[in-house]
């Protein structure tokens, strides 16, 4: 067996995945490598194998402390000599680490970018034999730049300081520009760029218009993913807590996670989610990077991600076990406006995120297969996926050129100062406080848009924004401007064709009963307990009739007591459990 094979099996694997071996070979021959593969694609293995094959210490830089400590722990379990240099080490532990590094007792050293760029650390690394540098989450160099964690961009000096040591930059879903930005920032000459397909075909992509979002997610949770584990992403910290509490009350055990939580609460929330089946994690995007759980079955977005990259990364946390997984993104015009404003306020002066948000708007509004549109953003061509809401629908479309012309004219006549909600009221001819205040009835377009409903008008506006047929102002007060592209629409040079809107169904809280809670618990138990030979129909019967004894359970399911194995007792307990017992069982 070659050394490379031995190391691979020491890490617990028998074969390489696509691109891994090529990357390892290039690194081992001293070449720089940039590996872009979806999250969960197995990028860490590349520097782990190369680090163990090459002589010296492989230095791994990652932005997430929790991710590094997790990896180091896992490697220790496999008997691999990995250590983590962080500021929690006391002087004794630091001395011990330095000694071990100097005496070749360590193969992989993990540290943060902040630690690595410290002159004392760089100096120390010069005194030992460094086999390679691995820069994990390298897209952060391009995305965070100088704003968030400036040390990430200082990693560019590594190449000058260690010209002979190969660097491997690892990144998830990124476009071509980010790839060249990373190469440029890290000074990676003669670099082997390996980019795997971004397609995760087992993940169903569903994007729908938002209407009563909470009731829509109830429908999804109850009818599509009952009893399964998944993540609900929302932007506000408060909302994560509210929704987690609300779902738990409804019998769907949920936990929350956001950046402002205490470290120990975050860890506890992650622990509950990763160890209990059928748990829902309601989180901001603070929960995610480096989370590698095989059994996340669904991802819901209640707010818009800020770019196609973030969307892909976030939905990509589902279905890591290769099994079919589901996703649902809900949004509307208001979400688009808020996302834009949020970014403008958050990132004062940093303008490079806005084009990415616009790219995402276009993907949301584009015609045709969702996956094709998304993958096209990453320069990947595919056929229609048959696993998204568009491929599953009739694909009806409407020509909205005239409606768009009306909206643009109205923007012109109102000098771009009226919010879209008011402009829609004007076109619908509604007399209310807002339209009266602007003397709308004197406008030629007042009531001239009654051929469409309010929601269709919102679709028109979304499309105009996404394709930049109008430009939104950056100031806090709402303004919208016509531009060159608006003129093309007004002159009829461009046709505006919109895919039909899809509203995801809703389910009211009062339609959920205690039985629902039982149902979710039972399904989650079925998913967890491999080998239980009861179909969903049988389980529904059990839930409905609530047998009290093993004998009646056996009669109801048609399975002998032997066939029910030890399952009968747990099942009976689950269907007779009260809500408070359920909550206590989930420690929430
Ligand atoms: P990434 O860094 O690309 O997000 P990871 O390195 O965390 O992905 O790997 C994701 C999962 O894939 C891990 O559970 C890892 O053990 C598994 N994995 C990696 N390489 C292989 C392989 N060659 N064969 C089987 N499983 C692998």
């Amino acid at each position: 067996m070659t050394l490379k094979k031995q190391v691979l099996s020491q890490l617990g694997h028998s074969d390489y995945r696509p691109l891994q071996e090529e990357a390892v070979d290039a690194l081992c021959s001293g070449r720089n490598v940039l590996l872009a593969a979806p999250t969960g694609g197995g990028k860490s293995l590349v520097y782990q194998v190369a680090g163990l094959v090459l002589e010296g210490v492989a230095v791994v830089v990652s932005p997430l402390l929790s991710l590094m400590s997790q990896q180091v722990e896992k490697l220790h379990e496999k008997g691999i000599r990995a250590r983590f240099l962080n500021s929690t080490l006391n002087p004794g532990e630091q001395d011990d680490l330095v000694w071990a590094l100097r005496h070749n007792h360590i193969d992989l050293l993990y540290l943060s970018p902040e630690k690595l760029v410290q002159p004392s650390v760089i100096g120390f690394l010069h005194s030992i034999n460094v086999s390679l540098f691995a820069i994990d989450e390298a897209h952060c160099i391009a995305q965070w730049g100088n704003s968030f964690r400036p040390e990430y961009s200082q990693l560019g000096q590594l190449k000058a300081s260690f010209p002979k040591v190969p660097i491997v930059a690892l990144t998830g879903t990124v476009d071509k520009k980010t790839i060249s930005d990373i190469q440029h920032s890290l000074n990676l000459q003669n670099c082997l760029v390996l980019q795997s397909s971004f397609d995760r075909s087992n993940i169903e992509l569903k994007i729908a218009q938002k209407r009563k979002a909470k009731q829509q997610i109830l429908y999804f949770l109850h009818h599509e993913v009952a009893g399964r584990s998944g993540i609900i992403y929302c932007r506000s910290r408060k909302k994560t807590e509210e929704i987690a509490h609300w779902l738990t009350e409804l019998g769907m055990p949920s936990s929350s996670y956001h950046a402002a939580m205490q470290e120990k609460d975050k860890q506890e929330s992650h622990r509950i989610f990763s160890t209990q089946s059928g748990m829902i994690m309601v989180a901001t995007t603070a929960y995610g990077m480096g989370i590698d759980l095989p059994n996340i079955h669904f991802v819901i977005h209640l707010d818009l991600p800020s770019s196609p990259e973030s969307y892909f990364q976030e939905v990509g946390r589902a279905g890591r076990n290769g099994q079919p997984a589901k996703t649902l993104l809900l949004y509307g015009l208001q979400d688009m406006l808020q996302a834009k404003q949020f970014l403008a306020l958050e990132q004062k002066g940093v303008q490079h995120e806005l084009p990415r948000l616009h790219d995402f708007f276009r993907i949301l509004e584009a015609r045709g297969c969702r996956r094709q549109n998304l993958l096209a953003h990453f320069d990947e061509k595919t056929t229609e996926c048959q696993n998204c809401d568009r491929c599953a629908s009739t694909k009806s479309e409407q020509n909205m050129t005239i409606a768009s012309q009306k909206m643009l004219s109205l923007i012109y006549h109102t000098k771009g100062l009226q919010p879209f909600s008011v402009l829609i009221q004007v076109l619908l001819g509604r007399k209310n406080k807002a339209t009266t205040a602007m003397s709308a009835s004197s406008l030629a377009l007042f009531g001239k848009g009654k051929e469409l409903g309010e929601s269709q008008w919102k679709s028109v506006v979304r499309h105009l924004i996404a394709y930049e047929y109008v430009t939104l102002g950056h100031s806090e007060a709402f303004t919208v401007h016509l531009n060159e592209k608006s003129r093309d629409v007004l002159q009829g040079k461009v046709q505006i064709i919109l895919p039909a809107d899809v509203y995801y169904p809703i389910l009211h809280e009062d339609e959920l009963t205690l039985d629902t809670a039982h149902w979710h618990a039972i399904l989650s138990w079925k998913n967890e307990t491999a080998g239980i030979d009861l179909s969903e129909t049988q389980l529904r019967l059990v839930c409905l009739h609530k047998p009290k004894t093993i004998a009646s359970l056996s009669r109801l399911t048609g399975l002998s007591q032997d066939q029910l194995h030890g399952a009968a007792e747990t099942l009976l307990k689950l269907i007779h459990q009260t809500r408070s017992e359920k909550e206590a069982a989930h420690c929430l």
Side-chain angles (χ1 to χ4, degrees), residues 333-359:
L333 171 60
Q334 203 52 33
D335 294 280
M336 282 170 74
L337 296 170
Q338 268 171 11
K340 185 149 180 167
Q341 200 176 23
F342 183 77
L343 212 59
L345 291 177
E346 268 259 298
Q347 312 225 340
K348 275 192 184 103
V350 183
Q351 290 298 313
H352 64 270
E353 280 293 301
L354 276 175
R356 288 180 193 275
L357 181 64
H358 262 283
D359 287 344

Side-chain angles (χ1 to χ4, degrees), residues 406-424:
K406 286 182 186 175
M407 181 54 82
L408 293 174
S409 305
L410 189 56
I411 291 171
Y412 175 77
H413 287 292
T414 51
K415 303 188 171 56
L417 296 173
Q418 296 296 334
F420 290 117
S421 54
V422 175
L423 297 179
I424 293 173

